[in-house]
């Protein structure tokens, strides 16, 4: 590794310094990396920061794209804050695409990045290497390939906008519905000189609360219901959600169904109010169904409950990453 005199965050730095400074300001604990040649400027910046005792995210050099994305998914499910995932060019992005799509479905915030070349060796400045010309390019850029399985995908086209683009990607990935955001960061951008301008932290997402009028209406419907039931997939994923759902169900004496699509523990399995994983027995019996963080309660989607009113309690009832969604709410 070349020991250059560049000082992170000062004039004379490069795009690698801009990248690391941005993720440090974002508050990322880790950069989960399946190594590729484009990340050499990032490696050098991290090495300089370690040498100089400056703060930076921890770097994990991993052996496969699916491993990198999977580890970021697990960590993100626990911490609920965006981390960095570094893949290699378009092939590495596509190799990890199934795991990225899984993170999208699970609602995990992360910033996924990979690269391309913009000069293919025919431009001024440092030579990116012939592998970009021969093997690694895709028409439309890797951000075009990433669009179907990410929440947001675009290119960082200038070293001067790179830190803010990383901040924006992190903010977008964190806000509901949370999910992976993708940045194509061309190798030439990482090799460019950076002016060391200030990087800004991510603004945490605000809380979402229903109005008193909406809460009163739901409470009235619960009071009047004879056979209500709760269906949930991810109520337990948020801090305090498991305990809140337990208290809510016990207060109203409402059974809780966790369908097979549940992705976390939401309610005690041994509790008398736990009603298993099949909503089928309730479809024609319940007069009120409360969908609490439940994106796909019925199958087939057109199987409408016979008489139940349906109430959705969810930060994002209509999931934009689902092609088809029916709630009858």
């Amino acid at each position: 590794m070349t020991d250059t005199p560049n000082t992170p965050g000062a004039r004379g730095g490069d795009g690698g310094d801009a990248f690391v400074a941005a993720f440090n300001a974002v508050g990322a604990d880790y950069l989960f990396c399946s190594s590729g040649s484009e990340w050499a400027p990032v490696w050098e910046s991290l090495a300089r920061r370690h040498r100089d005792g400056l703060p930076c995210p921890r770097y994990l050099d991993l052996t496969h794209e699916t491993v990198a994305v999977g580890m970021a998914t697990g960590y993100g499910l626990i911490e609920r804050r965006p981390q960095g995932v570094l893949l290699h060019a378009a092939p590495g992005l596509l190799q990890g695409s199934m795991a990225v799509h899984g993170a999208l479905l699970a609602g995990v915030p992360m910033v996924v990045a990979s690269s391309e070349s913009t000069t293919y060796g025919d431009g001024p400045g440092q030579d990116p290497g012939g592998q970009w010309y021969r093997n690694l390019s895709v028409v439309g850029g890797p951000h075009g390939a990433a669009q179907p399985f990410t929440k947001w995908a675009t290119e960082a086209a200038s070293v001067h906008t790179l830190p803010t683009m990383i901040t924006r990607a992190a903010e977008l990935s964190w806000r509901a519905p949370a999910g992976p955001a993708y940045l194509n960061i061309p190798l030439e951008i990482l090799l460019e000189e950076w002016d060391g301008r200030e990087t800004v932290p991510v603004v945490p997402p605000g809380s979402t609360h229903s109005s008193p009028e909406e809460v009163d209406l739901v409470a009235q419907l619960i009071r009047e219901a004879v056979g209500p039931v709760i269906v949930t997939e991810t109520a337990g994923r948020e801090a305090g959600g498991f305990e809140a759902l337990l208290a809510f169900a016990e207060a109203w004496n409402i059974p809780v169904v966790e369908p097979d699509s549940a992705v976390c523990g939401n309610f005690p399995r041994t509790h008398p109010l736990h009603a298993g994983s099949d909503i089928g027995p309730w479809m024609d019996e319940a007069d009120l169904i409360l969908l609490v963080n439940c994106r796909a309660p019925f199958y087939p989607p057109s199987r409408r409950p016979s008489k139940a009113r349906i109430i959705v309690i969810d930060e994002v009832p209509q999931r934009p990453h689902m092609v088809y969604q029916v709630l009858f709410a």
Side-chain angles (χ1 to χ4, degrees):
M1 183 176 292
T2 304
D3 185 13
T4 62
N6 295 357
T7 302
R11 291 188 180 278
D14 61 16
D17 294 314
F19 182 96
V20 174
F23 271 102
N24 194 58
V26 160
D29 300 317
Y30 288 95
L31 297 175
F32 299 89
C33 182
S34 179
S35 300
S37 57
E38 66 263 53
W39 301 120
V42 172
W43 301 335
E44 292 196 346
S45 180
L46 290 168
R48 288 191 291 269
R49 284 178 173 266
H50 282 291
R51 177 195 64 191
D52 299 336
L54 298 174
C56 60
R58 295 183 64 183
Y59 175 85
L60 296 180
D61 191 14
L62 303 166
T63 58
H64 197 281
E65 293 84 358
T66 304
V67 174
V69 180
M71 290 181 67
T73 299
Y75 190 81
L77 282 170
I78 295 172
E79 295 295 332
R80 310 298 297 160
R81 291 182 290 105
Q83 308 297 314
V85 179
L86 283 57
L87 306 178
H88 179 41
L93 169 66
L94 293 174
Q95 184 69 48
S97 62
M98 288 186 291
V100 176
H101 185 249
L104 177 68
L105 296 179
V108 181
M110 64 178 66
V111 179
V112 180
S114 70
S115 196
E116 65 177 338
S117 175
T118 55
T119 66
Y120 303 104
D122 275 345
Q126 301 188 53
D127 182 2
Q131 72 274 18
W132 296 95
Y133 175 55
R134 290 189 298 267
N135 301 322
L136 298 179
S137 63
V138 294
V139 176
H143 50 291
Q147 286 177 349
F149 52 85
T150 58
K151 180 181 176 182
W152 180 80
T154 192
E155 176 186 11
S158 167
V159 70
H160 305 296
T161 59
L162 175 58
T164 302
M165 291 290 280
I166 290 173
T167 300
R168 173 166 166 74
E171 288 180 335
L172 286 169
S173 77
W174 202 0
R175 277 159 175 71
Y182 172 80
L183 278 178
N184 166 24
I185 307 175
L187 176 56
E188 288 84 349
I189 301 300
L190 292 170
L191 293 171
E192 281 188 24
E193 293 185 359
W194 177 51
D195 59 12
R197 65 187 62 187
E198 182 182 4
T199 52
V200 296
V202 166
V203 178
S207 59
T208 303
H209 298 280
S210 297
S211 68
E213 292 78 15
E214 291 174 326
V215 173
D216 289 344
L217 174 59
V218 173
Q220 179 181 346
L221 291 172
I222 295 174
R223 283 193 298 267
E224 295 173 351
V226 176
V229 64
I230 295 169
V231 187
T232 183
E233 292 174 329
T234 59
R237 190 170 60 189
E238 305 299 333
F242 188 98
E243 296 79 8
L245 181 61
L246 175 60
F248 181 79
E250 289 182 336
W252 295 95
N253 195 35
I254 303 177
V256 177
V257 174
E258 289 184 288
D260 292 334
S261 52
V263 300
C264 62
N266 302 286
F267 199 80
R269 294 292 179 93
T270 58
H271 196 284
L273 288 174
H274 194 284
S277 61
D278 184 10
I279 194 177
W282 304 91
M283 292 293 284
D284 297 320
E285 299 298 326
D287 59 350
L288 182 68
I289 297 176
L290 296 166
L291 302 180
V292 182
N293 285 23
C294 187
R295 63 190 175 90
F298 313 121
Y299 190 83
S302 59
R303 171 62 166 100
R304 185 170 192 152
S306 298
K307 58 184 178 181
R309 293 283 299 274
I310 299 173
I311 301 294
V312 174
I313 302 175
D314 200 318
E315 193 172 24
V316 187
Q318 290 79 26
R319 299 290 201 274
H321 61 262
M322 293 184 65
V323 176
Y324 187 62
Q325 184 187 27
V326 182
L327 299 176
F328 299 118

